[in-house]
Amino acid sequence: MSRYIPNTPGQQDDMLREIGLSSREELFSDIPCRLRLSRLLNLGEPLSEMELLKIMKDIASENSNLDEYACFLGAGAYDHYIPSLVGHIISRQEFYTSYTPYQPEISQGMLQAIFEYQTMICELTGMDVSNASMYDGASAMAEAAVMACSAARRNKVLVAKSVHPEYRQVLKTYGHFRGIQIEEVGFKDGLVDLEELENKTGSDTAAVIVQYPNFFGNVEPVRPASEIAHKNKALLVASADPIALGLLEAPGNLGADIVTGEGQGLGNPLSFGGPYLGFFAASESLLRKMPGRIVGQTVDRDGRRAFVLTIQTREQHIRREKATSNICSNQALNALAATVYMAVMGKQGMRKVAELCLQKSHYAYNSLIGTGKFKPAFSAPFFKEFVVKSSVPVKQINEKLLESKIIGGFDLSKDYPELGNGWLVAVTEKRTKKEIDEFVEKAGVL
Amino acid sequence: MKNNPLIFELERPGRKAYSLPDCDVPVSDMATLVPSEYLRKSEPALPEVSEVDVVRHYTNLSRRNHGVDSGFYPLGSCTMKYNPKINEDVSKLPGFTSIHPYQDESLVQGCLEILHHTGNMLKECTGMDAVSLQPAAGAHGELTGLMIIKAYHESRGDKNRNIIIVPDSAHGTNPASAAAAGFSVVEVKSNERGNVDIEALRSLMSDKVAGLMLTNPNTLGLFEEEIEEIAGMVHEAGGLLYYDGANANAIMGISRPGDMGFDVVHLNLHKTFGTPHGGGGPGAGPVGVKEKLAPFLPVPVVEYKDGKYCLDYDRPLSIGRVKSFYGNFSVVLKAYAYIKAIGAKGLKEASEGAVLNANYIMSKLKKHYDLPFDRKCMHEFVLSGRKQAANGVSTLDIAKRLLDFGYHPPTIYFPLIVKEALMIEPTETESRETLDGFIETMIQIAKEAEETPEKVKGAPYKTVVVRLDEAGAARNPVLRWRGKEDDICQ
């Protein structure tokens, strides 16, 4: 018997007998014989822990992991430092082996943590309300577009081309099936082209979507973009980097109506792209249109403060096809990691991390330009990521860097051929001066 | 009475829990780097607390939460089985956690191998021909599968198929996902055996039907015995059949959706394949399809070519992306380890054990609670608290009373077609002794409901908070902390 099944074959036989059955097969007599498998699945023999661990370690070793490389790759997933205690807290079984807190009396831990998370996200983004998390930054942004269309009763969404290409792809997928018209707005000097935005925004526009900082790392002019949106009674959606928000003005203070983003940088490992978390915050007036779980504060029978899932009449289990979204399970444990991360960092820590990113990325940028081998792509202000242009293909540079155990930046040539050999370089607080110097030196050789 | 403090209420200005190195590069004046308009004017109100404060606070919170490791968790349709610890260890190997999703394919062959192999294993489990591991959760898988169905019909010029049929017993995500994929939803009723009413279904068939979504076994825990006829009927009308895999723990190695006639399947790795539920996620909702639907899967698809794993983006008929990167990778990784650990034999034993445990509890409780569909169940079954309700004790009361005995209650008031529903799913990882203890408690509560109903209605008595004002929470939403309260507890 499989090691995860406690009942012995003898116990199972007894149980079968007690309920009047003579065999295991009889349990499945409602399944027509023709549909019952007459063979074992082709999945191999069971393995002991030792054997399993050996196989998994062998597979893991086929990857080149960042513990052994200096990483200058970002583009939506970042090598930020994760304080030790984050992993310890989220590994507490009471959190990670529980499910959605349907029974508040025995789920106060998760419920309160989500309430704290919602508070922290509101503080960072400058918004009134936050939900309990979405799948990731891309789907959160797509859901924001869907919500904006429903709120504005309009059907067109404008998205800046300086938004992450994959986010725009997800938006396109969600939009296509919902009958939402998506139009892209180009960029000028690495920032959304405000003139083009102004021309394209009209009485049919439900939302304008920008990224902050944008995919190129540049600090988008959120305020003028929101003014254009608002003039046309459209909503401004900002997809923000939460690490940047330790230093940069909260989008809510720049006119954003909905702020979403990828929360990975807040204490979640890169893990080859997931699981991460999408955050989703909005102004109060949009509360009842929001997707996903929301936790509220209340009191119990004895007057004690307590927390509970609330405003549930938006949700699929109550509203079914009329729900604001189909989301059920979200990324609660990743949101818990983000909560613990923000609790550890506090207001000063968040600012310090952001400052380190800002300073180090500018040092790297200036050093790269200083080699004479790279040209600035834009003159816009940037945060922790920037674009430079090279005379040789980026692929070649990245291959060269690998020899020195350096993972180079993101090759923009496929998504933005108009930038030529565009190289998107990310520098987090983890990169030391020594690593940056070596990176610049090796990159500058070509 | 003291409230449990929020992390913000523990703040003592000047305390810190973070540690960061000094800046080792020449520092530029901030104002020269970012225009002042884009610098924060005020700090976010994140707490200033010490490392010990953070650890004690969240450890304390964890004690106010019930997990599978704490005790029995028979939450119907959620498959709260034991989550093997070794899989957590595996997922924390740096060779899996410290991998950037955009590293060159040659540097991530291990990750791609995991995705590719898991996809193959899931194909074998479901009888499907191609799989995408991109969807992040069950509902996300549903949405993806329904988009694939729509794209398929559209690609054939069949553009009027805008109806998805769902049974009245379906999970709420089914109709919600159908709407999110741009379909209209039509409900089909269940018959007296708890299955889809075939004649009712027949009357709904037309050239407008894009597909039928079914959970099999359904949310009553009953196998749709007429599934072949249903599949034939839907296919004949030009529609496709969607399998909601929320209840797949009943049939692993026993029967396969692909053989039943389903065209699209999603699985919940966090249910059937033993990955932890994480307090509400992350899960993973891979989607499997039959050959003719494979071109419509989200991009990218992991392929194995010339001895190497690679990502195929060149799929012109694809619905596009539904998520950034490649899905919840480390969840997939844990499911892979789970399947490898128990093998084909273990997977079949799991389903057999799950079905046996459910039938065992059902047979012992049916004398004490109303059993609306008295037939063999699969991995779960649904009782009705009707008998107890007649005495003024609701299903909610029964659920709350269970808390006093250390059990997570079953799913309640679902499916909607059963009054006062209690949906019980024990899973295979519970011992007979655990089941017997639960059965005994349920019988005791039934007795209390008869003899001392007030006792049940006043429950729970042993939890940290009791019967919350949920209506008040929705009426006057307080969704974030706004400042210090008077009665802070230290």
Side-chain angles (χ1 to χ4, degrees):
Chain A
M1 191 68 68
S2 147
R3 60 179 172 274
Y4 305 133
I5 299 178
N7 287 330
T8 63
Q11 276 187 309
Q12 290 198 341
D13 290 340
D14 291 345
M15 290 164 73
L16 280 166
R17 208 167 28 245
E18 282 180 43
I19 60 175
L21 299 179
S22 54
S23 72
R24 283 166 186 72
E25 287 70 49
E26 231 179 302
L27 289 166
F28 299 97
S29 59
D30 280 355
I31 304 181
C33 278
R34 288 178 306 283
L35 298 181
R36 271 187 261 166
L37 272 180
S38 53
R39 62 170 177 91
L40 271 181
L41 292 171
N42 182 18
L43 297 171
E45 293 292 315
L47 298 173
S48 68
E49 273 199 8
M50 263 191 274
E51 292 165 305
L52 177 68
L53 203 53
K54 171 86 174 67
I55 288 176
M56 299 309 287
K57 280 184 172 167
D58 285 349
I59 299 176
S61 71
E62 291 163 27
N63 295 320
S64 301
N65 86 67
L66 299 183
D67 289 5
E68 288 154 19
Y69 288 75
C71 176
F72 291 85
L73 183 57
Y78 299 95
D79 186 26
H80 287 295
Y81 181 72
I82 302 172
S84 171
L85 69 84
V86 175
H88 289 276
I89 296 292
I90 67 166
S91 297
R92 287 196 62 95
Q93 68 80 15
E94 297 87 338
F95 287 132
Y96 87 82
T97 75
S98 67
Y99 204 10
T100 308
Y102 296 117
Q103 293 288 339
E105 284 91 343
I106 52 167
S107 310
Q108 281 301 297
M110 204 64 192
L111 285 161
Q112 182 176 326
I114 296 170
F115 184 80
E116 293 178 357
Y117 164 85
Q118 291 174 182
T119 305
M120 292 171 177
I121 292 296
C122 287
E123 283 293 323
L124 269 190
T125 58
M127 303 308 291
D128 305 320
V129 287
S130 159
N131 75 8
S133 75
M134 308 294 285
Y135 304 136
D136 66 356
S139 66
M141 192 189 92
E143 290 264 15
V146 170
M147 179 171 94
C149 287
S150 151
R153 292 170 190 272
R154 293 177 182 180
N155 230 12
K156 188 169 141 188
V157 170
L158 295 173
V159 60
K161 228 189 139 189
S162 47
V163 167
H164 196 303
E166 290 197 4
Y167 288 32
R168 282 182 283 132
Q169 287 162 19
V170 174
L171 173 69
K172 210 171 127 196
T173 307
Y174 273 59
H176 170 77
F177 290 95
R178 286 262 189 179
I180 295 171
Q181 192 195 335
I182 313 242
E183 202 175 326
E184 296 194 336
V185 180
F187 54 87
K188 219 169 155 179
D189 191 21
L191 298 173
V192 61
D193 185 336
L194 289 170
E195 206 179 305
E196 187 184 334
L197 179 65
E198 178 116 53
N199 291 337
K200 285 186 170 166
T201 311
S203 57
D204 57 347
T205 310
V208 170
I209 306 180
V210 296
Q211 189 178 336
Y212 176 73
N214 67 22
F215 185 63
F216 306 129
N218 299 331
V219 182
E220 284 283 12
V222 177
R223 187 180 294 289
S226 74
E227 281 163 5
I228 293 170
H230 293 162
K231 216 160 44 186
N232 292 280
K233 295 196 164 49
L235 301 176
L236 192 284
V237 179
S239 174
D241 172 9
I243 295 294
L245 299 184
L247 185 64
L248 297 188
E249 182 60 288
N253 295 336
L254 298 169
D257 303 283
I258 307 169
V259 182
T260 61
E262 175 53 68
Q264 175 265 329
L266 304 170
N268 287 275
L270 286 163
S271 292
F272 197 51
Y276 299 165
L277 70 141
F279 59 87
F280 192 112
S283 9
E284 184 103 54
S285 60
L286 294 166
L287 171 61
R288 288 177 198 270
K289 296 267 181 202
M290 288 203 10
R293 314 264 190 227
I294 295 174
V295 170
Q297 179 183 313
T298 186
V299 288
D300 80 344
R301 192 174 59 195
D302 301 330
R304 276 174 292 221
R305 178 170 65 188
F307 302 93
V308 67
L309 292 172
T310 194
I311 329 271
Q312 294 191 76
T313 49
R314 302 163 295 112
E315 290 190 67
Q316 46 78 26
H317 60 288
I318 311 235
R319 294 279 280 169
R320 299 176 79 83
E321 68 269 23
K322 293 196 176 61
T324 55
S325 165
N326 71 324
I327 190 169
C328 181
S329 286
N330 51 39
Q331 306 281 118
L333 200 68
N334 304 95
L336 177 65
T339 310
V340 177
Y341 178 86
M342 288 186 276
V344 170
M345 301 316 285
K347 43 179 96 70
Q348 282 92 4
M350 285 298 288
R351 188 179 173 87
K352 283 232 160 92
V353 168
E355 280 177 3
L356 285 170
C357 291
L358 183 78
Q359 295 291 350
K360 291 185 178 219
S361 62
H362 282 79
Y363 174 72
Y365 174 81
N366 292 331
S367 305
L368 276 176
I369 299 298
T371 63
K373 299 286 175 65
F374 297 93
K375 288 202 172 60
F378 316 115
S379 66
F382 62 87
F383 171 61
K384 69 180 177 197
E385 219 168 358
F386 57 84
V387 180
V388 289
K389 291 195 206 181
S390 151
S391 52
V392 296
V394 165
K395 196 172 161 38
Q396 226 172 299
I397 309 173
N398 283 342
E399 275 168 10
K400 182 83 195 151
L401 288 170
L402 267 183
E403 294 167 10
S404 307
K405 294 250 166 195
I406 296 169
I407 306 269
F410 185 82
D411 185 350
L412 292 170
S413 59
K414 212 160 70 194
D415 294 296
Y416 299 93
E418 64 269 40
L419 294 176
N421 296 319
W423 200 28
L424 178 64
V425 175
V427 188
T428 68
E429 78 282 8
K430 278 176 76 175
R431 297 289 72 82
T432 60
K433 178 169 183 296
K434 194 165 162 252
E435 287 171 339
I436 298 170
D437 289 343
E438 193 186 356
F439 164 73
V440 170
E441 188 200 319
K442 298 285 184 302
V445 166
L446 284 170
Chain B
M1 187 167 319
K2 287 192 168 174
N3 286 331
N4 194 56
L6 289 158
I7 188 77
F8 311 101
E9 292 162 350
L10 298 176
E11 172 164 280
R12 293 292 175 271
R15 275 191 193 166
K16 61 172 215 168
Y18 69 90
S19 76
L20 289 166
D22 292 334
C23 191
D24 58 355
V25 300
V27 174
S28 310
D29 179 8
M30 201 86 72
T32 65
L33 305 180
V34 181
S36 64
E37 192 197 352
Y38 287 95
L39 288 174
R40 271 194 104 99
K41 309 297 175 292
S42 62
E43 288 171 324
L46 299 176
E48 290 177 62
V49 287
S50 70
E51 176 159 341
V52 181
D53 292 332
V54 176
V55 170
R56 292 252 168 88
H57 177 72
Y58 290 104
T59 301
N60 172 38
L61 284 191
S62 77
R63 289 209 202 95
R64 298 161 73 85
N65 227 51
H66 180 100
V68 172
D69 292 358
S70 316
F72 192 37
Y73 209 134
L75 189 64
S77 263
C78 296
T79 315
M80 302 303 290
K81 63 168 80 174
Y82 170 69
N83 313 123
K85 300 298 169 195
I86 186 74
N87 300 346
E88 298 304 306
D89 294 347
V90 162
S91 74
K92 285 171 188 159
L93 293 172
F96 292 126
T97 53
S98 297
I99 307 295
H100 192 287
Y102 287 146
Q103 277 174 243
D104 189 80
E105 280 170 11
S106 63
L107 307 178
V108 295
Q109 286 292 300
C111 290
L112 294 174
E113 179 180 341
I114 293 287
L115 293 175
H116 195 256
H117 282 195
T118 308
N120 283 343
M121 294 194 297
L122 298 181
K123 281 193 262 182
E124 169 69 359
C125 290
T126 56
M128 291 287 150
D129 300 317
V131 165
S132 168
L133 296 156
Q134 201 174 101
H140 206 209
E142 290 177 22
L143 179 62
T144 306
L146 290 161
M147 287 172 170
I148 289 170
I149 289 176
K150 201 172 192 187
Y152 166 78
H153 289 310
E154 280 175 3
S155 77
R156 305 169 77 234
D158 202 352
K159 298 195 184 210
N160 293 324
R161 295 191 179 268
N162 64 343
I163 291 173
I164 287 289
I165 302 174
V166 300
D168 55 7
S169 61
H171 297 117
T173 48
N174 287 183
S177 298
F183 288 110
S184 303
V185 177
V186 173
E187 215 172 74
V188 59
K189 65 179 170 109
S190 304
N191 64 21
E192 70 290 341
R193 278 184 64 74
N195 288 150
V196 168
D197 186 317
I198 293 276
E199 289 320 307
L201 182 63
R202 199 184 308 279
S203 72
L204 297 175
M205 285 302 139
S206 76
D207 59 2
K208 291 224 160 35
V209 172
L212 167 69
M213 294 183 89
L214 271 189
T215 311
N216 194 19
N218 63 25
T219 61
L220 294 163
L222 304 172
F223 194 84
E224 295 285 349
E225 300 153 308
E226 294 167 300
I227 182 60
E228 288 167 292
E229 198 180 343
I230 293 171
M233 197 189 294
V234 173
H235 287 152
E236 191 152 322
L240 296 175
L241 208 58
Y242 183 97
Y243 182 88
D244 173 343
N247 291 347
N249 203 43
I251 58 158
M252 285 296 110
I254 307 286
S255 184
R256 309 193 303 172
D259 300 334
M260 296 175 204
F262 286 92
D263 304 288
V264 188
V265 172
H266 91 259
L267 292 168
N268 301 66
L269 298 187
H270 48 294
K271 296 179 182 178
T272 312
F273 297 94
T275 75
H277 286 66
V287 168
V289 295
K290 285 285 176 68
E291 194 67 54
K292 64 179 174 187
L293 299 176
F296 304 96
L297 287 173
V299 278
V301 171
V302 186
E303 302 276 13
Y304 185 66
K305 269 184 211 153
D306 308 326
K308 272 191 266 175
Y309 297 96
C310 56
L311 293 162
D312 179 13
Y313 287 87
D314 185 19
R315 303 176 68 89
L317 290 176
S318 165
I319 59 164
R321 275 190 171 277
V322 294
K323 191 184 177 305
S324 55
F325 312 119
Y326 327 108
N328 282 342
F329 171 75
S330 81
V331 178
V332 174
L333 176 66
K334 290 176 200 180
Y336 176 85
Y338 175 81
I339 298 172
K340 290 297 273 187
I342 66 174
K345 195 165 155 276
L347 209 53
K348 186 176 182 196
E349 285 167 354
S351 286
E352 286 173 347
V355 173
L356 173 59
N357 280 0
N359 276 284
Y360 180 75
I361 302 181
M362 181 178 79
S363 111
K364 302 267 174 173
L365 286 184
K366 69 181 186 187
K367 289 192 290 283
H368 307 275
Y369 291 85
D370 184 53
L371 178 64
F373 301 97
D374 189 1
R375 50 181 269 211
K376 230 171 281 165
C377 70
M378 298 292 281
H379 68 305
E380 68 185 5
F381 62 97
V382 178
L383 295 175
S384 164
R386 255 188 301 220
K387 245 193 250 178
Q388 289 71 26
N391 216 18
V393 174
S394 69
T395 280
L396 182 70
D397 298 329
I398 294 167
K400 295 302 179 197
R401 185 69 179 125
L402 276 169
L403 300 175
D404 286 329
F405 297 88
Y407 297 113
H408 193 291
T411 295
I412 52 174
Y413 299 106
F414 185 83
L416 307 174
I417 56 171
V418 172
K419 281 208 174 75
E420 300 289 326
L422 284 149
M423 185 198 232
I424 300 172
E425 180 182 9
T427 83
E428 72 280 7
T429 61
E430 299 301 330
S431 68
R432 176 179 183 156
E433 294 74 28
T434 299
L435 305 184
D436 284 340
F438 176 73
I439 290 164
E440 206 176 294
T441 301
M442 284 293 285
I443 293 173
Q444 184 187 327
I445 294 173
K447 202 169 155 211
E448 286 177 359
E450 225 165 89
E451 295 169 0
T452 52
E454 292 312 314
K455 189 169 186 183
V456 186
K457 287 161 77 173
Y461 301 97
K462 295 182 179 170
T463 49
V464 292
V465 292
V466 175
R467 300 257 183 165
L468 282 64
D469 179 6
E470 301 195 18
R475 207 165 37 242
N476 301 308
V478 178
L479 309 177
R480 52 156 301 175
W481 177 77
R482 289 210 178 266
K484 289 212 158 102
E485 295 201 0
D486 297 327
D487 52 349
I488 303 164
C489 143
Q490 290 301 322

